[in-house]
Amino acid sequence: MSVIRPMRADAVRNRRKILDAANAQITARGPDVGMDEIAQAAGVAVGTLYRHFPTKTDLVAAVVGEYVVAVADDAQASLGRASVGTSRAVDEVVGFLSRVAESSADHHAVKAAAQGLGVEGHGDESDESRASGALAELIALAQADGDIRTEVTVDDLYLLMATAPTDEPAPVRQRWLDLILPGITTPPC
Amino acid sequence: MSVIRPMRADAVRNRRKILDAANAQITARGPDVGMDEIAQAAGVAVGTLYRHFPTKTDLVAAVVGEYVVAVADDAQASLGRASVGTSRAVDEVVGFLSRVAESSADHHAVKAAAQGLGVEGHGDESDESRASGALAELIALAQADGDIRTEVTVDDLYLLMATAPTDEPAPVRQRWLDLILPGITTPPC
Amino acid sequence: MSVIRPMRADAVRNRRKILDAANAQITARGPDVGMDEIAQAAGVAVGTLYRHFPTKTDLVAAVVGEYVVAVADDAQASLGRASVGTSRAVDEVVGFLSRVAESSADHHAVKAAAQGLGVEGHGDESDESRASGALAELIALAQADGDIRTEVTVDDLYLLMATAPTDEPAPVRQRWLDLILPGITTPPC
Amino acid sequence: MSVIRPMRADAVRNRRKILDAANAQITARGPDVGMDEIAQAAGVAVGTLYRHFPTKTDLVAAVVGEYVVAVADDAQASLGRASVGTSRAVDEVVGFLSRVAESSADHHAVKAAAQGLGVEGHGDESDESRASGALAELIALAQADGDIRTEVTVDDLYLLMATAPTDEPAPVRQRWLDLILPGITTPPC
DNA sequence: GATGAATGAGTGTTCATTCAT
DNA sequence: TATGAATGAACACTCATTCAT
């Protein structure tokens, strides 16, 4: 008696195509691409786009939401590796930040679009807490190892993620990482 | 043979009013204020606005340019104090970064507007080099004091300035500064 | 040899639901309700709605048609009472007009929708002639009584019905009736 | 020191052209003409149209307002003639109603458009009261002559004007007038 | 036969920019 | 030179209708 009706197969396909097209178009042509252009890139009519996302804001929020899912997945995978002992927790934190800075580069225009439209909730809240949970554990692990400063919190990570120089070339992003890291890790002595 | 004709007094006045109005309006009403609104706030007609700045991009670039002037002034003042020995050079660097993060908060919408319009050159190049020069000397001073890591450059400072969390409340900006500083300063031991 | 195939029971039910929903929605939400909204209110999908009424115009015409049926019924009932002598024919004419003005108030948005769509034939012609016939006899009766002016015709009644102030509150509609009546009834002397 | 600045001559001209075009287009092509079509018919760009009337509602309201001006003028002229004794006051009332029914025929689609957009104030209030005043005096005059029933008010006239069969051919409108008049004038005996 | 996703022309409105006054 | 009216391409969004499932 679930209220959640399964979507028709083609509707699912279209939703995917739209989301991908939106991501691609915003990335390629800037945060102000028109809905028509996104629809065309997705190979659907505008009406279809609006059936899936009643508002441009909704569409962009969904795109951001997908990104949050990816980030949460990454955070959980990092935690997984650190828990098992495959790698040190600090290294996972650093790797995570590095990958986020990397992937955010593509995501930059999307973030700009979201800001321009006043997108609020970045998609599903459960994904955000999934990410937060994993990162919290990861930090705790690294702190137990004595590798990360005791006062560092998940919010600090979010703050750094938010300020990553997403529109800069790779070497700059690497340098940024180097500048950032000492603030998180414990001093050498 | 100079082509630069002195501006008529009222033209100068108008330019000032427009620049101030643009800054105020963008800050107050977001990066997407219309040219008409800016003109009205400046007490001139749109036509006048366009006589001074042929393009919205030009206008925003000029506003950004003014900000660069202020930053350059600050940098030079900081250097002055450190040279005279009034204060330690590191402290001036930190203070400078802190003030920039602070002032950038107001400036945030302007930056967003600039980005949205693809503003390239941030105004007068001489101001940029004025700032760069002062900051370079300041860093050198601090490095001579052994307070700032030897590999830190002016570009690092610019990178950090560019990624300051300008749209966050003061405590967050302070925390960001705390996270950032260890990457610049020499380790305690 | 009749081409008219009896409708399947559920098709009949759907037709009813759609007609009722259309009436209700147009009345409640104005003449511009969308087909989707009507379909949803009827508990069917748009496709079903379009199976029954190939065009919005057709749907609205059908709704109007139902109203004509009700009016025809009323006219015949009025005639019935007057014929039997239960009441004076004039009073029945007046009562009829009054009730039409009354019911038209609900019907107002439907009329507006019909006009907006250029609905032509108001449904079944037989109903119109049923109404016309009854009203003609009723007028004749009242004229025989000397109560209604000899030159008054059925078309006059239609004209008045058409111009009833359907979107005005009850007292206004009553006042309108008072203004209208002297033109139909015989002068007191 | 008047705040009302005189409009530029060409702006005035454009305003006129727009108003006329709006009237013409709505009359000719129905209440749902697009703003673009109106603009084109007026020989201006849409932007110009929107500079003069920030909203379609505003435009239609202005068109209706012009009609109110015409009606008010007519009412005052009628009163003038009756006051001077050129004609009987009743005749002026009848003539006024007749002319309104006549002119309203053209005006019908405009009224529909106004209703569809929820136009509230029919333009300038002063024109409405100008009309009301003149009609009140005219009615009083005719009542003094013993030609119009004592209970008739200006609102009655408005009610009848509002219900005139504006979309019917001339003979029908004439017949309507005949049906309406006895409700206003004193009975023959 | 019913469903509801897809279509796409059309709508009202905005805004950077131009140009007659 | 300043003014502000005019321009018109562009945009987000709607809705009657069609058609694959």
Side-chain angles (χ1 to χ4, degrees):
Chain A
M1 245 195 106
S2 161
V3 192
I4 301 169
R5 268 183 311 104
M7 259 178 141
R8 259 169 50 178
D10 58 342
V12 173
R13 241 185 339 268
N14 273 340
R15 198 189 146 88
R16 248 280 57 75
K17 285 195 296 182
I18 290 169
L19 245 15
D20 290 346
N23 206 333
Q25 291 297 308
I26 293 176
T27 300
R29 310 162 68 115
D32 291 333
V33 244
M35 292 295 262
D36 286 29
E37 276 166 298
I38 293 173
Q40 192 171 29
V44 297
V46 237
T48 303
L49 196 162
Y50 274 96
R51 166 170 279 270
H52 286 276
F53 305 98
T55 277
K56 191 177 191 180
T57 302
D58 292 326
L59 173 58
V60 172
V63 173
V64 174
E66 296 231 301
Y67 181 68
V68 173
V69 169
V71 169
D73 288 349
D74 191 335
Q76 285 188 321
S78 301
L79 174 60
R81 285 188 299 270
S83 306
V84 166
T86 308
S87 52
R88 276 187 96 77
V90 224
D91 295 338
E92 288 299 338
V93 171
V94 174
F96 171 80
L97 276 178
S98 169
R99 286 188 301 275
V100 165
E102 209 65 30
S103 70
S104 285
D106 289 344
H107 197 58
H108 182 247
V110 173
K111 248 158 77 177
Q115 187 136 136
L117 292 165
V119 170
E120 291 289 299
H122 307 73
D124 202 332
E125 245 180 63
S126 75
D127 289 314
E128 294 207 39
S129 56
R130 196 154 59 85
S132 299
L135 291 176
E137 288 192 51
L138 200 54
I139 291 172
L141 244 42
Q143 283 168 333
D145 291 344
D147 292 333
I148 281 198
R149 295 172 186 249
T150 53
E151 74 274 17
V152 169
T153 68
V154 175
D155 281 344
D156 290 339
L157 254 42
Y158 281 150
L159 177 54
L160 292 176
M161 287 163 61
T163 57
T166 53
D167 49 349
E168 298 290 345
V172 175
R173 293 201 303 265
Q174 179 56 51
R175 176 66 184 136
W176 174 80
L177 216 55
D178 294 341
L179 284 167
I180 257 25
L181 252 29
I184 295 179
T185 55
T186 49
C189 53
Chain B
M1 216 189 126
S2 162
V3 195
I4 299 172
R5 211 146 37 82
M7 263 174 139
R8 271 174 39 181
D10 60 338
V12 174
R13 249 195 321 277
N14 272 345
R15 198 188 147 87
R16 247 286 49 78
K17 284 195 298 183
I18 291 169
L19 247 13
D20 289 346
N23 205 334
Q25 292 298 307
I26 293 177
T27 300
R29 309 163 69 116
D32 291 332
V33 248
M35 292 295 261
D36 285 29
E37 276 166 298
I38 293 173
Q40 190 172 35
V44 293
V46 240
T48 304
L49 195 161
Y50 272 92
R51 171 163 299 274
H52 287 276
F53 305 97
T55 276
K56 192 177 192 181
T57 301
D58 292 326
L59 173 58
V60 173
V63 173
V64 174
E66 295 233 299
Y67 181 68
V68 174
V69 170
V71 169
D73 288 349
D74 191 334
Q76 285 188 322
S78 300
L79 173 60
R81 284 188 298 271
S83 307
V84 165
T86 308
S87 51
R88 276 186 97 76
V90 223
D91 294 339
E92 288 299 339
V93 171
V94 174
F96 171 79
L97 276 178
S98 169
R99 285 189 302 275
V100 165
E102 207 65 29
S103 69
S104 284
D106 288 344
H107 198 58
H108 181 246
V110 174
K111 248 159 79 177
Q115 186 135 139
L117 292 165
V119 170
E120 292 291 297
H122 307 74
D124 201 331
E125 250 179 57
S126 76
D127 289 314
E128 294 207 40
S129 56
R130 196 155 57 88
S132 298
L135 291 176
E137 288 191 51
L138 199 53
I139 290 172
L141 243 43
Q143 284 168 332
D145 290 343
D147 291 333
I148 281 199
R149 296 172 186 248
T150 55
E151 75 274 18
V152 169
T153 68
V154 175
D155 282 344
D156 290 340
L157 253 42
Y158 281 152
L159 177 54
L160 292 175
M161 285 165 61
T163 57
T166 53
D167 50 348
E168 299 289 346
V172 175
R173 294 199 304 264
Q174 179 56 51
R175 177 66 184 137
W176 174 81
L177 217 55
D178 294 341
L179 285 166
I180 256 28
L181 252 29
I184 296 178
T185 56
T186 49
C189 54
Chain C
M1 219 191 118
S2 162
V3 193
I4 301 172
R5 210 144 40 80
M7 261 174 142
R8 269 174 42 179
D10 61 337
V12 174
R13 248 193 324 275
N14 272 346
R15 198 188 147 86
R16 243 292 43 79
K17 285 194 298 184
I18 291 169
L19 246 15
D20 290 346
N23 204 335
Q25 291 298 307
I26 294 176
T27 300
R29 309 162 69 116
D32 290 333
V33 247
M35 293 295 261
D36 285 28
E37 276 166 300
I38 294 173
Q40 190 172 33
V44 292
V46 241
T48 305
L49 194 162
Y50 272 92
R51 171 162 299 275
H52 286 277
F53 305 98
T55 276
K56 191 177 192 181
T57 303
D58 293 326
L59 172 57
V60 173
V63 173
V64 174
E66 295 233 300
Y67 181 69
V68 174
V69 170
V71 169
D73 289 349
D74 191 335
Q76 286 187 321
S78 300
L79 174 60
R81 286 187 298 270
S83 307
V84 166
T86 308
S87 53
R88 277 186 94 79
V90 223
D91 294 340
E92 288 299 340
V93 171
V94 173
F96 171 81
L97 276 178
S98 169
R99 285 188 301 275
V100 166
E102 208 64 28
S103 69
S104 285
D106 288 344
H107 198 59
H108 181 246
V110 174
K111 250 159 76 176
Q115 188 135 136
L117 292 165
V119 171
E120 291 290 298
H122 307 74
D124 201 332
E125 252 180 55
S126 77
D127 289 315
E128 293 207 39
S129 57
R130 195 154 60 86
S132 298
L135 291 176
E137 288 191 51
L138 199 54
I139 291 173
L141 244 42
Q143 283 169 332
D145 291 343
D147 290 335
I148 279 198
R149 295 170 187 251
T150 54
E151 75 275 17
V152 169
T153 69
V154 176
D155 282 343
D156 290 341
L157 253 43
Y158 282 150
L159 178 54
L160 293 175
M161 286 164 61
T163 57
T166 53
D167 51 348
E168 298 289 345
V172 175
R173 293 200 304 264
Q174 179 56 50
R175 177 67 185 136
W176 173 80
L177 217 55
D178 295 341
L179 284 167
I180 254 31
L181 252 29
I184 296 179
T185 56
T186 49
C189 51
Chain D
M1 251 194 97
S2 161
V3 192
I4 300 171
R5 270 185 306 106
M7 257 177 143
R8 260 169 49 178
D10 58 342
V12 174
R13 242 189 334 271
N14 273 341
R15 196 190 148 88
R16 249 278 58 73
K17 285 195 295 183
I18 290 168
L19 245 14
D20 290 344
N23 206 333
Q25 291 297 307
I26 293 176
T27 301
R29 309 162 69 116
D32 290 334
V33 245
M35 294 294 262
D36 286 28
E37 277 167 298
I38 293 173
Q40 192 172 29
V44 296
V46 238
T48 304
L49 195 161
Y50 274 93
R51 165 171 280 268
H52 287 276
F53 305 97
T55 277
K56 189 176 194 182
T57 302
D58 292 326
L59 173 57
V60 172
V63 173
V64 173
E66 295 231 300
Y67 182 68
V68 173
V69 170
V71 168
D73 288 348
D74 191 334
Q76 286 188 321
S78 301
L79 173 61
R81 286 189 297 271
S83 306
V84 165
T86 310
S87 53
R88 276 187 94 76
V90 221
D91 294 338
E92 288 299 340
V93 171
V94 173
F96 171 81
L97 277 177
S98 168
R99 285 189 302 275
V100 165
E102 208 64 30
S103 70
S104 286
D106 288 343
H107 197 60
H108 182 248
V110 174
K111 249 159 77 177
Q115 188 138 133
L117 292 167
V119 171
E120 292 288 298
H122 308 73
D124 201 332
E125 246 179 63
S126 76
D127 290 314
E128 294 207 40
S129 57
R130 196 154 60 84
S132 298
L135 291 176
E137 288 191 51
L138 199 54
I139 291 172
L141 244 43
Q143 283 167 334
D145 291 344
D147 290 334
I148 281 199
R149 296 172 186 248
T150 54
E151 75 274 18
V152 169
T153 68
V154 175
D155 282 344
D156 290 340
L157 253 44
Y158 281 150
L159 177 54
L160 292 174
M161 286 163 62
T163 58
T166 51
D167 50 348
E168 299 289 345
V172 174
R173 294 199 304 263
Q174 179 56 51
R175 176 65 185 137
W176 174 80
L177 217 54
D178 294 341
L179 284 167
I180 256 26
L181 253 28
I184 295 178
T185 56
T186 48
C189 53

Short mmCIF file of all heavy atoms in Angstrom, two decimals, chain C residues 28-58:
data_model
loop_
_atom_site.label_atom_id
_atom_site.label_comp_id
_atom_site.label_asym_id
_atom_site.label_seq_id
_atom_site.Cartn_x
_atom_site.Cartn_y
_atom_site.Cartn_z
N ALA C 28 -15.71 26.49 -9.43
CA ALA C 28 -14.90 26.80 -8.25
C ALA C 28 -13.63 27.59 -8.59
O ALA C 28 -13.24 28.49 -7.86
CB ALA C 28 -14.51 25.50 -7.53
N ARG C 29 -13.02 27.27 -9.71
CA ARG C 29 -11.70 27.84 -9.98
C ARG C 29 -11.66 28.71 -11.21
O ARG C 29 -10.57 29.04 -11.69
CB ARG C 29 -10.67 26.71 -10.10
CG ARG C 29 -10.73 25.74 -8.92
CD ARG C 29 -10.04 24.42 -9.24
NE ARG C 29 -8.60 24.58 -9.35
CZ ARG C 29 -7.72 24.01 -8.54
NH1 ARG C 29 -8.13 23.28 -7.54
NH2 ARG C 29 -6.45 24.17 -8.73
N GLY C 30 -12.81 29.06 -11.72
CA GLY C 30 -12.81 29.98 -12.84
C GLY C 30 -12.85 29.29 -14.18
O GLY C 30 -12.66 28.08 -14.29
N PRO C 31 -13.10 30.06 -15.23
CA PRO C 31 -13.34 29.50 -16.57
C PRO C 31 -12.08 28.91 -17.20
O PRO C 31 -12.18 28.28 -18.24
CB PRO C 31 -13.80 30.71 -17.38
CG PRO C 31 -13.98 31.82 -16.41
CD PRO C 31 -13.16 31.51 -15.22
N ASP C 32 -10.94 29.12 -16.59
CA ASP C 32 -9.70 28.73 -17.24
C ASP C 32 -9.05 27.50 -16.63
O ASP C 32 -7.86 27.27 -16.81
CB ASP C 32 -8.70 29.90 -17.21
CG ASP C 32 -9.16 31.01 -18.13
OD1 ASP C 32 -9.88 30.72 -19.10
OD2 ASP C 32 -8.81 32.17 -17.86
N VAL C 33 -9.82 26.72 -15.91
CA VAL C 33 -9.23 25.50 -15.34
C VAL C 33 -8.66 24.64 -16.45
O VAL C 33 -9.24 24.54 -17.53
CB VAL C 33 -10.27 24.62 -14.61
CG1 VAL C 33 -9.99 24.60 -13.14
CG2 VAL C 33 -11.66 25.00 -14.95
N GLY C 34 -7.58 24.00 -16.14
CA GLY C 34 -6.95 23.14 -17.12
C GLY C 34 -7.63 21.79 -17.20
O GLY C 34 -8.32 21.37 -16.27
N MET C 35 -7.44 21.14 -18.34
CA MET C 35 -8.03 19.82 -18.53
C MET C 35 -7.49 18.84 -17.51
O MET C 35 -8.21 17.95 -17.04
CB MET C 35 -7.73 19.32 -19.95
CG MET C 35 -8.41 20.14 -21.02
SD MET C 35 -10.21 20.00 -20.96
CE MET C 35 -10.48 18.78 -22.27
N ASP C 36 -6.23 18.97 -17.17
CA ASP C 36 -5.64 18.08 -16.17
C ASP C 36 -6.35 18.19 -14.84
O ASP C 36 -6.63 17.18 -14.18
CB ASP C 36 -4.15 18.42 -15.98
CG ASP C 36 -3.31 17.92 -17.14
OD1 ASP C 36 -3.87 17.82 -18.25
OD2 ASP C 36 -2.13 17.61 -16.95
N GLU C 37 -6.64 19.40 -14.46
CA GLU C 37 -7.30 19.59 -13.17
C GLU C 37 -8.68 18.96 -13.18
O GLU C 37 -9.11 18.32 -12.21
CB GLU C 37 -7.39 21.09 -12.84
CG GLU C 37 -6.13 21.62 -12.19
CD GLU C 37 -6.11 23.14 -12.18
OE1 GLU C 37 -6.16 23.76 -13.27
OE2 GLU C 37 -6.06 23.71 -11.08
N ILE C 38 -9.39 19.15 -14.27
CA ILE C 38 -10.71 18.55 -14.38
C ILE C 38 -10.60 17.03 -14.32
O ILE C 38 -11.34 16.36 -13.59
CB ILE C 38 -11.40 18.99 -15.69
CG1 ILE C 38 -11.69 20.50 -15.64
CG2 ILE C 38 -12.69 18.21 -15.91
CD1 ILE C 38 -12.20 21.07 -16.93
N ALA C 39 -9.65 16.50 -15.06
CA ALA C 39 -9.48 15.04 -15.08
C ALA C 39 -9.18 14.53 -13.67
O ALA C 39 -9.79 13.56 -13.20
CB ALA C 39 -8.34 14.67 -16.03
N GLN C 40 -8.27 15.21 -13.00
CA GLN C 40 -7.91 14.77 -11.66
C GLN C 40 -9.12 14.82 -10.73
O GLN C 40 -9.35 13.88 -9.96
CB GLN C 40 -6.80 15.67 -11.12
CG GLN C 40 -6.19 15.13 -9.83
CD GLN C 40 -4.97 15.94 -9.41
OE1 GLN C 40 -4.91 17.14 -9.64
NE2 GLN C 40 -4.01 15.28 -8.79
N ALA C 41 -9.86 15.91 -10.81
CA ALA C 41 -11.04 16.04 -9.96
C ALA C 41 -12.05 14.94 -10.27
O ALA C 41 -12.82 14.51 -9.41
CB ALA C 41 -11.68 17.42 -10.15
N ALA C 42 -12.06 14.50 -11.51
CA ALA C 42 -13.00 13.44 -11.90
C ALA C 42 -12.47 12.06 -11.53
O ALA C 42 -13.18 11.07 -11.65
CB ALA C 42 -13.28 13.52 -13.39
N GLY C 43 -11.23 12.01 -11.14
CA GLY C 43 -10.64 10.72 -10.80
C GLY C 43 -10.28 9.88 -12.01
O GLY C 43 -10.23 8.66 -11.94
N VAL C 44 -10.06 10.55 -13.14
CA VAL C 44 -9.63 9.81 -14.34
C VAL C 44 -8.35 10.46 -14.87
O VAL C 44 -7.94 11.52 -14.41
CB VAL C 44 -10.69 9.85 -15.45
CG1 VAL C 44 -11.92 9.05 -15.05
CG2 VAL C 44 -11.06 11.27 -15.81
N ALA C 45 -7.76 9.82 -15.82
CA ALA C 45 -6.58 10.39 -16.46
C ALA C 45 -7.03 11.29 -17.62
O ALA C 45 -8.13 11.12 -18.14
CB ALA C 45 -5.66 9.30 -16.96
N VAL C 46 -6.19 12.19 -18.02
CA VAL C 46 -6.55 13.11 -19.11
C VAL C 46 -6.97 12.35 -20.35
O VAL C 46 -7.91 12.75 -21.06
CB VAL C 46 -5.41 14.03 -19.57
CG1 VAL C 46 -5.77 15.46 -19.38
CG2 VAL C 46 -4.11 13.65 -18.92
N GLY C 47 -6.26 11.28 -20.63
CA GLY C 47 -6.58 10.49 -21.83
C GLY C 47 -8.03 10.06 -21.85
O GLY C 47 -8.71 10.14 -22.87
N THR C 48 -8.51 9.61 -20.71
CA THR C 48 -9.91 9.19 -20.60
C THR C 48 -10.83 10.36 -20.87
O THR C 48 -11.84 10.25 -21.59
CB THR C 48 -10.17 8.64 -19.19
OG1 THR C 48 -9.24 7.62 -18.93
CG2 THR C 48 -11.58 8.11 -19.09
N LEU C 49 -10.48 11.48 -20.30
CA LEU C 49 -11.27 12.68 -20.52
C LEU C 49 -11.36 12.96 -22.02
O LEU C 49 -12.45 13.25 -22.54
CB LEU C 49 -10.60 13.84 -19.79
CG LEU C 49 -11.38 15.12 -19.57
CD1 LEU C 49 -10.73 15.93 -18.48
CD2 LEU C 49 -11.43 15.93 -20.84
N TYR C 50 -10.25 12.85 -22.69
CA TYR C 50 -10.23 13.16 -24.13
C TYR C 50 -10.93 12.09 -24.95
O TYR C 50 -11.35 12.36 -26.07
CB TYR C 50 -8.79 13.37 -24.60
CG TYR C 50 -8.35 14.79 -24.44
CD1 TYR C 50 -7.70 15.21 -23.29
CD2 TYR C 50 -8.62 15.75 -25.42
CE1 TYR C 50 -7.30 16.52 -23.12
CE2 TYR C 50 -8.23 17.05 -25.27
CZ TYR C 50 -7.56 17.44 -24.11
OH TYR C 50 -7.19 18.75 -23.95
N ARG C 51 -11.04 10.89 -24.41
CA ARG C 51 -11.80 9.87 -25.12
C ARG C 51 -13.28 10.25 -25.14
O ARG C 51 -13.98 10.04 -26.12
CB ARG C 51 -11.60 8.50 -24.45
CG ARG C 51 -12.52 7.40 -24.97
CD ARG C 51 -11.99 6.06 -24.59
NE ARG C 51 -10.68 5.84 -25.16
CZ ARG C 51 -10.45 5.38 -26.39
NH1 ARG C 51 -11.49 5.07 -27.18
NH2 ARG C 51 -9.24 5.21 -26.84
N HIS C 52 -13.73 10.82 -24.04
CA HIS C 52 -15.15 11.19 -23.96
C HIS C 52 -15.43 12.51 -24.67
O HIS C 52 -16.47 12.69 -25.28
CB HIS C 52 -15.58 11.28 -22.50
CG HIS C 52 -15.73 9.96 -21.84
ND1 HIS C 52 -16.87 9.19 -21.95
CD2 HIS C 52 -14.88 9.23 -21.07
CE1 HIS C 52 -16.72 8.06 -21.27
NE2 HIS C 52 -15.52 8.06 -20.74
N PHE C 53 -14.49 13.44 -24.53
CA PHE C 53 -14.69 14.76 -25.13
C PHE C 53 -13.41 15.14 -25.88
O PHE C 53 -12.43 15.54 -25.25
CB PHE C 53 -15.01 15.78 -24.05
CG PHE C 53 -16.18 15.40 -23.21
CD1 PHE C 53 -15.98 14.78 -21.98
CD2 PHE C 53 -17.48 15.63 -23.64
CE1 PHE C 53 -17.06 14.40 -21.20
CE2 PHE C 53 -18.56 15.26 -22.86
CZ PHE C 53 -18.36 14.65 -21.64
N PRO C 54 -13.46 15.04 -27.18
CA PRO C 54 -12.22 15.20 -27.97
C PRO C 54 -11.59 16.56 -27.85
O PRO C 54 -10.45 16.77 -28.27
CB PRO C 54 -12.67 14.97 -29.40
CG PRO C 54 -14.08 14.53 -29.35
CD PRO C 54 -14.63 14.79 -27.99
N THR C 55 -12.32 17.50 -27.27
CA THR C 55 -11.84 18.87 -27.24
C THR C 55 -12.37 19.55 -25.98
O THR C 55 -13.44 19.21 -25.48
CB THR C 55 -12.37 19.60 -28.49
OG1 THR C 55 -11.49 19.34 -29.56
CG2 THR C 55 -12.50 21.07 -28.28
N LYS C 56 -11.64 20.52 -25.50
CA LYS C 56 -12.14 21.25 -24.35
C LYS C 56 -13.47 21.90 -24.69
O LYS C 56 -14.40 21.93 -23.88
CB LYS C 56 -11.12 22.31 -23.93
CG LYS C 56 -11.46 22.91 -22.59
CD LYS C 56 -10.41 23.92 -22.12
CE LYS C 56 -10.60 24.29 -20.66
NZ LYS C 56 -9.61 25.28 -20.20
N THR C 57 -13.54 22.41 -25.89
CA THR C 57 -14.79 23.01 -26.35
C THR C 57 -15.94 22.01 -26.24
O THR C 57 -17.04 22.35 -25.76
CB THR C 57 -14.64 23.48 -27.80
OG1 THR C 57 -13.55 24.39 -27.88
CG2 THR C 57 -15.90 24.16 -28.28
N ASP C 58 -15.69 20.78 -26.66
CA ASP C 58 -16.74 19.77 -26.57
C ASP C 58 -17.18 19.55 -25.12
O ASP C 58 -18.37 19.44 -24.83
CB ASP C 58 -16.24 18.45 -27.15
CG ASP C 58 -16.02 18.54 -28.65
OD1 ASP C 58 -16.80 19.27 -29.31
OD2 ASP C 58 -15.07 17.92 -29.16
#
